[in-house]
Amino acid sequence: MSKKKMVKNVLTKLPHRWRYIGLVLTGSIILYTTCLFLPMEPLDINPTAVLTEGTSRLYGLHNFVSRLPKIQQDIITEETTEERDVREQRRESIKQSFLYGWNGYKTYALGADELKPLSNRSSNPFGGLGATLVDSIGTMLIMELDIDELLPLIENIKVKPDEQMSVFETTIRYVGGLLSAFELSNHPKKHILLDKAEEIGLALLPAFETAFGLPHYHFNLLR
């Protein structure tokens, strides 16, 4: 039997799924090799050029040009009285919506991670350190709301030694939330925010001591 027929027999015996996988891999290798050795002519762009008004191009590394449309809202330098009234009305509406949710949490679940709105009961899926409390501080600072009564609560947060914690949520919500609030605040006692972020971060460090350097998904200080 010739080698050609042997290869054909082997291929026909393979499941269809493996044939598709082999085809995709072969195509990917060919495409990658083509792109790798294909000579590319650099665009004639001055990387230090300043974008003129109305230009939608964004210059990046290696003369890359992005032609994505601009989505950022232009900063209003001048506005009419009506425009100012509309803006302030919208700002106040957003603030009142936040306060409605915050007052519910404050009344029924202050210090807990979350409030269950239908039962008005607290829930602690993120280690019980007060996720909503920490999340809200940065928002309150942006809205120019008082955080005096919250700082003692932040200072009293204690990492529970036998509580299952999500490494991801703890990093972005607790550590990130406290650091963001610290940067936004000019309160004389804002050091409480930084100190608590450091405390939680240090407690979380053992979660990163793994064989491959990837942190655990869930972490318990006693396990």
Side-chain angles (χ1 to χ4, degrees):
M1 183 181 292
S2 64
K3 292 184 178 179
K4 185 176 180 180
K5 288 184 178 180
M6 290 177 61
V7 173
K8 184 177 180 180
N9 289 336
V10 171
L11 291 176
T12 54
K13 292 179 180 179
L14 286 174
H16 290 287
R17 181 177 59 181
W18 289 106
R19 295 184 199 176
Y20 295 143
I21 293 175
L23 182 62
V24 171
L25 287 176
T26 303
S28 300
I29 293 172
I30 294 173
L31 181 62
Y32 174 76
T33 306
T34 303
C35 295
L36 186 64
F37 294 102
L38 187 67
M40 299 182 65
E41 297 181 2
L43 297 174
D44 185 16
I45 297 175
N46 181 6
T48 60
V50 179
L51 296 179
T52 58
E53 185 177 358
T55 304
S56 62
R57 288 183 173 182
L58 301 175
Y59 298 102
L61 297 175
H62 309 300
N63 291 336
F64 170 78
V65 179
S66 172
R67 293 177 175 83
L68 295 174
K70 180 181 177 181
I71 61 172
Q72 291 85 358
Q73 176 66 40
D74 291 326
I75 298 176
I76 299 175
T77 54
E78 296 181 4
E79 59 182 350
T80 64
T81 303
E82 291 140 36
E83 289 173 339
R84 186 183 68 249
D85 291 341
V86 170
R87 176 174 56 80
E88 292 181 350
Q89 181 182 7
R90 290 174 177 173
R91 182 175 64 178
E92 185 62 26
S93 296
I94 294 172
K95 183 184 291 187
Q96 292 304 318
S97 296
F98 168 80
L99 287 173
Y100 178 81
W102 169 254
N103 289 331
Y105 169 76
K106 180 180 175 181
T107 302
Y108 300 105
L110 185 61
D113 286 341
E114 293 179 343
L115 167 67
K116 293 183 176 181
L118 298 181
S119 63
N120 285 336
R121 294 183 179 179
S122 61
S123 176
N124 291 298
F126 304 117
L129 307 183
T132 299
L133 169 65
V134 176
D135 281 343
S136 301
I137 293 182
T139 303
M140 295 179 76
L141 288 168
I142 293 173
M143 292 183 173
E144 300 178 346
L145 297 171
D146 187 20
I147 64 167
D148 274 346
E149 63 177 344
L150 304 185
L151 289 176
L153 297 174
I154 295 294
E155 192 171 23
N156 290 330
I157 289 177
K158 302 295 180 185
V159 177
K160 300 176 182 180
D162 195 16
E163 185 79 25
Q164 195 83 337
M165 298 175 65
S166 167
V167 176
F168 174 74
E169 295 290 347
T170 303
T171 301
I172 67 167
R173 299 187 69 171
Y174 292 122
V175 179
L178 289 167
L179 291 177
S180 299
F182 175 79
E183 290 295 329
L184 289 168
S185 176
N186 57 4
H187 196 280
K189 294 184 178 180
K190 71 174 189 174
H191 65 88
I192 293 174
L193 303 167
L194 184 61
D195 293 343
K196 191 56 61 174
E198 181 183 18
E199 179 185 329
I200 296 175
L202 290 174
L204 202 62
L205 278 180
F208 292 83
E209 296 176 359
T210 61
F212 299 99
L214 298 174
H216 295 287
Y217 176 69
H218 279 109
F219 177 65
N220 189 309
L221 288 173
L222 297 184
R223 299 177 186 176

